[in-house]
Amino acid sequence: MRKPIGGAIKAEQNNSSNNSSSSLMMMKMRKGLWSPEEDEKLMKYMLNNGQGCWSDIARNAGLQRCGKSCRLRWINYLRPDVKRGAFSPQEEQLILHLHSLLGNRWSQIATRLPGRTDNEIKNFWNSTVKKRLKKSTSDSSSPNTSHDSSSPDHRDIMGGRTSMQDSSNHVMAMYMDATQRSSLSSSSFLQAMNMNQMMERFPLMGDHDVPNMPILNASCYGSTQVGMDGNGISYHGCTYEIFGGNLGLEDEFFNIPPLENMTTNNQDTKSENHNDRTSITNNMNNVNTNHCYNNIINNNKHQIHAITDGFENCWEAGDELKVEEWDFEELMRESSSFTSLG
DNA sequence: AATGAGGGCAACCGCTCCATT
DNA sequence: GAATGGAGCGGTTGCCCTCAT
């Protein structure tokens, strides 16, 4: 909602009939783009006095802005540690990953990307990533794409494809369910769509001849391990493209944890929307470490076949990968270790 | 060179949460 | 317990820029 600089001073819309100080303040409140002078004022004030009550800051800094506006400007633009410029492939990957965990909780995602603001990430998602997802969806829905799962070649590779498709539907349903319950936005729906496509391209999950292999039920979905190379997702040594590839992360793992996590432990529907922000974080901070996940990450970080080892370890151990056993903080440490953001 | 479309991004809006009174 | 105000969050808007025509 960019407005002309200096254009929207409400005083001009009112006359002097209202004499209260608060009204005067409101009358003088400036909106729209920040001028360099305003930036300088706010920056100086913040550096000298530090953060406090934002309405006081606005007043004391001599700004005709509301505290809210000052806060936003500081956080999104003036803060010394704010990182600007294009997102690196690693950052992109981490955003995708975190979004699969957290949905549109941009502030939560932003805390995992040093120097990036929630607004920036949100904008990035709403423009770039959504576009890619849409493109990816339309590409794969095209009957002539190289990923056409109905092609004979593909079918050869896709042993057990039928179950995969059923399973991916399951995932979709699950995801949708989680989406509904957690009030996630349409972007999550898009992502779910994309996840389905991804799942359709993972032949070996359906091919995995392990009795009782719980293909893509909520638990297994939670531990779906996907390796990344420069061109996309690798699974059992096969490479599948997502988002047109080029997401980097050579020889590294990319875990797609279950979105179900986010809700099964938060059945209290009141926790949804805003107040589940904290409950989710707290929940994740308090969960026990999923040893299966840690086995995979810690012991087999750079080996594709480790993925299946991880699965088998899980099921041999008879683990029901309960969603509450998933250690978010641990994951984040691992994530940061393989994304080397800076 | 002119212009229209689309994308990127900064900033506002409305809402909720939380602390204080 | 209710009211109030500040802070923070996600959604949305609309201006500016770039690019295709």
Side-chain angles (χ1 to χ4, degrees):
Chain A
M1 202 179 290
R2 225 180 278 175
K3 300 236 170 62
I5 293 173
I9 298 177
K10 288 190 176 177
E12 292 177 5
Q13 298 168 353
N14 303 303
N15 52 32
S16 58
S17 62
N18 191 332
N19 291 330
S20 74
S21 60
S22 63
S23 296
L24 278 170
M25 287 300 295
M26 285 305 296
M27 285 163 63
K28 290 182 179 178
M29 286 305 171
R30 209 178 135 101
K31 293 167 84 174
L33 289 182
W34 281 64
S35 67
E37 291 78 22
E38 288 178 307
D39 281 347
E40 193 183 341
K41 278 183 182 177
L42 181 58
M43 176 79 94
K44 268 186 183 173
Y45 184 89
M46 291 300 292
L47 293 177
N48 289 332
N49 302 283
Q51 193 170 323
C53 173
W54 284 108
S55 52
D56 289 346
I57 290 171
R59 195 168 40 246
N60 296 337
L63 292 162
Q64 294 172 332
R65 296 273 182 176
C66 65
K68 226 174 171 178
S69 182
C70 291
R71 176 186 158 270
L72 211 61
R73 185 62 176 172
W74 174 256
I75 289 174
N76 288 335
Y77 195 82
L78 296 174
R79 213 162 31 110
D81 61 329
V82 72
K83 191 202 272 184
R84 309 199 64 79
F87 284 84
S88 70
Q90 287 81 10
E91 284 176 312
E92 287 187 29
Q93 191 55 56
L94 188 54
I95 289 169
L96 288 170
H97 174 53
L98 290 169
H99 190 272
S100 74
L101 297 174
L102 300 166
N104 291 0
R105 294 179 177 85
W106 306 117
S107 60
Q108 293 276 326
I109 295 172
T111 61
R112 314 286 172 182
L113 283 112
R116 298 296 187 181
T117 68
D118 54 353
N119 205 39
E120 201 175 6
I121 294 168
K122 179 172 58 181
N123 283 336
F124 173 71
W125 183 269
N126 286 334
S127 53
T128 310
V129 178
K130 264 189 180 176
K131 197 170 62 187
R132 282 187 201 165
L133 288 174
K134 276 180 188 170
K135 187 172 182 295
S136 172
T137 303
S138 61
D139 282 355
S140 64
S141 63
S142 160
N144 293 325
T145 61
S146 60
H147 294 304
D148 180 12
S149 58
S150 63
S151 71
D153 287 352
H154 207 85
R155 252 198 303 272
D156 285 346
I157 300 169
M158 300 283 279
R161 189 184 177 286
T162 304
S163 64
M164 271 302 297
Q165 207 160 24
D166 292 342
S167 301
S168 68
N169 289 338
H170 186 131
V171 171
M172 183 65 172
M174 180 189 75
Y175 201 109
M176 291 289 287
D177 187 43
T179 300
Q180 286 162 358
R181 276 185 283 145
S182 60
S183 304
L184 296 179
S185 72
S186 56
S187 62
S188 300
F189 174 77
L190 281 170
Q191 193 175 10
M193 297 280 289
N194 198 67
M195 184 60 68
N196 263 353
Q197 293 172 246
M198 286 164 57
M199 292 309 175
E200 283 195 38
R201 295 171 190 172
F202 295 157
L204 292 161
M205 290 191 71
D207 218 358
H208 211 287
D209 240 347
V210 177
N212 304 321
M213 180 69 177
I215 296 169
L216 288 182
N217 64 18
S219 305
C220 185
Y221 178 37
S223 55
T224 301
Q225 296 288 332
V226 187
M228 297 293 298
D229 65 13
N231 297 317
I233 285 181
S234 304
Y235 198 87
H236 265 244
C238 302
T239 301
Y240 301 92
E241 179 189 12
I242 58 166
F243 307 143
N246 299 325
L247 290 175
L249 297 183
E250 253 181 48
D251 291 330
E252 288 157 349
F253 279 92
F254 174 49
N255 186 304
I256 305 174
L259 201 63
E260 194 75 353
N261 284 19
M262 315 298 294
T263 54
T264 50
N265 248 0
N266 293 284
Q267 290 296 336
D268 180 3
T269 54
K270 287 203 305 184
S271 74
E272 295 308 336
N273 287 327
H274 286 78
N275 52 351
D276 70 341
R277 292 174 198 146
T278 50
S279 66
I280 285 172
T281 307
N282 294 339
N283 178 39
M284 287 180 167
N285 289 338
N286 294 330
V287 293
N288 298 319
T289 300
N290 178 334
H291 79 82
C292 174
Y293 170 77
N294 286 335
N295 281 347
I296 295 166
I297 291 297
N298 294 331
N299 301 330
N300 306 305
K301 195 171 276 181
H302 300 292
Q303 297 175 12
I304 294 294
H305 63 75
I307 297 167
T308 50
D309 291 344
F311 272 122
E312 287 163 3
N313 288 344
C314 288
W315 302 108
E316 281 168 9
D319 280 356
E320 182 78 15
L321 287 183
K322 294 196 176 87
V323 292
E324 56 274 334
E325 291 180 350
W326 187 70
D327 190 335
F328 184 74
E329 291 303 327
E330 183 65 21
L331 171 64
M332 287 305 108
R333 278 193 292 277
E334 295 295 343
S335 294
S336 60
S337 75
F338 73 68
T339 51
S340 61
L341 301 174

